[in-house]
Amino acid sequence: MSGSTAQGRTHTPARQVKETLKTLRSHPEAGLTNEEAKRRLEQEGPNEIAEKRPSPVLRFAQKFWGPSAWMVELIALVALILHKRADVSVALALLGMNTFFSFAQEQRATSAVAALRQKLNIKARALRDRH
């Protein structure tokens, strides 16, 4: 059984399509006019999700900001205050390696997602003035 609304009406897929087309002020056989499509594009912008790509330098720098990085940074600071140069070196080496490996892993994941998006490139057809 189809879902129902607060008024007790049931919604069939055909009814939902009709209501959606009415809400969007579109016609199932004619689509939008070129003028209406242009107006909507100017008013609301393109029908796409903007992809945010932060700078790799910024993403790398962000690896130094967080609880685990703070803990190692604090260890390095305490070791520096106590004049334990070997401990400072070890802490900074750990911080650097952790940052490098974390950034490299994130880069691989970002590349994998980009490859998947490329494969899933979706195309859609739209009616304009009955064409």
Side-chain angles (χ1 to χ4, degrees):
M1 180 176 208
S2 297
S4 61
T5 65
Q7 293 87 13
R9 297 185 319 225
T10 59
H11 281 272
T12 62
R15 183 181 197 123
Q16 290 174 343
V17 168
K18 285 181 183 180
E19 289 176 4
T20 300
L21 288 170
K22 183 178 178 182
T23 300
L24 296 175
R25 299 181 321 273
S26 185
H27 190 273
E29 283 121 28
L32 297 174
T33 64
N34 283 326
E35 294 80 23
E36 177 65 12
K38 184 178 177 183
R39 184 192 69 75
R40 289 184 186 191
L41 181 62
E42 289 172 357
Q43 182 180 6
E44 299 175 25
N47 187 16
E48 65 185 10
I49 298 173
E51 187 177 344
K52 295 180 182 178
R53 288 193 172 193
S55 160
V57 173
L58 179 62
R59 284 193 355 248
F60 183 80
Q62 287 175 335
K63 299 296 177 197
F64 292 99
W65 188 258
S68 60
W70 295 336
M71 189 169 32
V72 177
E73 291 163 358
L74 182 62
I75 291 169
L77 180 64
V78 169
L80 184 65
I81 292 169
L82 297 175
H83 303 289
K84 304 270 187 164
R85 287 196 173 119
D87 292 347
V88 172
S89 299
V90 169
L92 292 178
L94 286 172
L95 182 63
M97 288 184 344
N98 183 51
T99 299
F100 173 77
F101 289 127
S102 176
F103 179 75
Q105 182 66 27
E106 185 178 317
Q107 281 293 102
R108 285 194 296 271
T110 300
S111 296
V113 169
L116 286 173
R117 279 192 180 144
Q118 189 72 25
K119 286 186 178 192
L120 295 174
N121 193 4
I122 298 172
K123 305 271 185 206
R125 295 184 331 179
L127 287 173
R128 296 290 181 261
D129 291 325
R130 297 191 184 272
H131 295 104

